[in-house]
Amino acid sequence: MLRGSWRQLWLFLLLLLLLLLLPGAPEPRGTSRPWEGTDEPGSAWAWPGFQRLQEQLRAAGALSKRYWTLFSCQVWPDDCDEDEEAAARPLGLEWDLNVRLHGQHLVRQLVLRTVRGYLETPQPDKALALSFHGWSGTGKNFVARMLVENLYRDGLMSDCVRMFIATFHFPHRKYVDLYKEQLMGQIRETQQLCHQTLFIFDEAEKLHPGLLEVLEPHLERRAPEGHRAEFTWTIFLFLSNLRGDIINEVVLKLLKAGWSREEITMEHLEPHLQAEIVETTDNGFGHSRLVKENLIDSFIPFLPLEYRHVRLCARDAFLSQELLYTEETLDEIAQMMAYVPKEEQLFSSQGCKSISQRINYFLS
C-alpha cells in the first residue's frame, strides 16, 4: 500500500514538472511572453514560421492541461466527477477521428469542430443537434461510439448517456403519448444528474413526429435566465440511413467529373441532403419541426466507402484481435464485399459493416 502511494507521488511530481516546462503552465500575474503584443512587420516574432511554432506551443499547453485532468481523475477518482474528466476527453476524440475513421474527411472536420466548439461554450443557450446520414456500414454508429467513449469515462454505461433505437424502444405508434412522457422524464432526470449529457437516437427516420416534439424545447434558443449557477451541455445525435442514396449519387457524379474524394465539400452535399430529407414522405423525421424550422445544427453526410477504405477496416479488425495479416489477406477480405454501381463497382454496398464476420470466416 505504501509502495503504491510512493509510486503515485512520483508520478505526480513528474507530471507537475512537465506541466511547468510545457506552455500552458501557470505563470505569475503580469508575466508576458516575448511574442505577445509584438507584430510589427520587421519583428522576428512576426515571421510566419515562428507564428506556426507559437500555435503549436499553445496547443501543447492545452494538451498538458487536459492530460493533467485525465491523470488526476485516475489517481484521485474520489475527487473527480464525471463532468470534470469529460472536459478533457475531446483530445482523444480528435485522435480517434484522425486514426480510426476511414474515408470520412467531412465527418472528421464537422464532428470535431461542432462538438469541441459547443463544449467550450461557457453558457450554451440550446442543446447541440447533429444528424448523421449515410449508407449502412459507413461509420455512423462507429463515430457515435467514439463520442461516447471519449466524452465519458464509463462509455455507454455512463449515467449521463442514453441511447434509443426507434424500433426497439418505441415500437408501437399507439403508445406514443406514453413514450413521450417516458422520454421527457429520462431527459429531465439525466440533465439533473449530469452537467454534460448525450442522447443518441438510432434509426431516427422511424421515430414518430410526436416523440421528436419532446426535443423541441431543448433545441430552441432561449434567453439567458439571469445569473444561473449551473449550465447544462446536451448533445442529441440522430443516426439514419435516410437519403444515403442521394449522398452516393452526388459523390459518384463528382468522381466521374474528375473531382478527388478529398475535394468534396459540404457545399456539394448539404443542399441536396437537407432538401431530400424534407421532401421524403415516408418518415416523420423529415416532416418534423426539428428539420423544417432548422433546429438541427448540422446534417453530416457519411460518404460511401471504397475498396481502399474496406482494406483499412480489415487491417484495423485484425489489429484489434491481435491477429497477423498480410497485404494479400487484406485484399482477399476486401474482395469478398459487393460493390456498386454495377458498372463502376466503386462503393462497398455494406461499407465496413461485416468485416469482422468475414475475417472469422476467412480464419475458419
Side-chain angles (χ1 to χ4, degrees), residues 331-357:
D331 281 324
E332 289 188 51
I333 297 294
Q335 289 166 8
M336 291 181 180
M337 308 296 284
Y339 292 86
V340 295
K342 185 175 181 180
E343 297 78 16
E344 292 84 358
Q345 299 281 298
L346 275 177
F347 307 135
S348 170
S349 61
Q350 291 183 298
C352 287
K353 194 165 188 176
S354 61
I355 290 294
S356 295
Q357 294 91 322

Side-chain angles (χ1 to χ4, degrees), residues 3 36 74 77 83 94 144 150 209 245 252 277 299 338 354 364:
R3 182 178 301 175
E36 291 181 340
Q74 295 299 320
D83 293 327
E94 182 174 4
N150 282 288
D245 54 338
L252 180 62
I277 290 173
F299 292 90
S354 61
S364 60

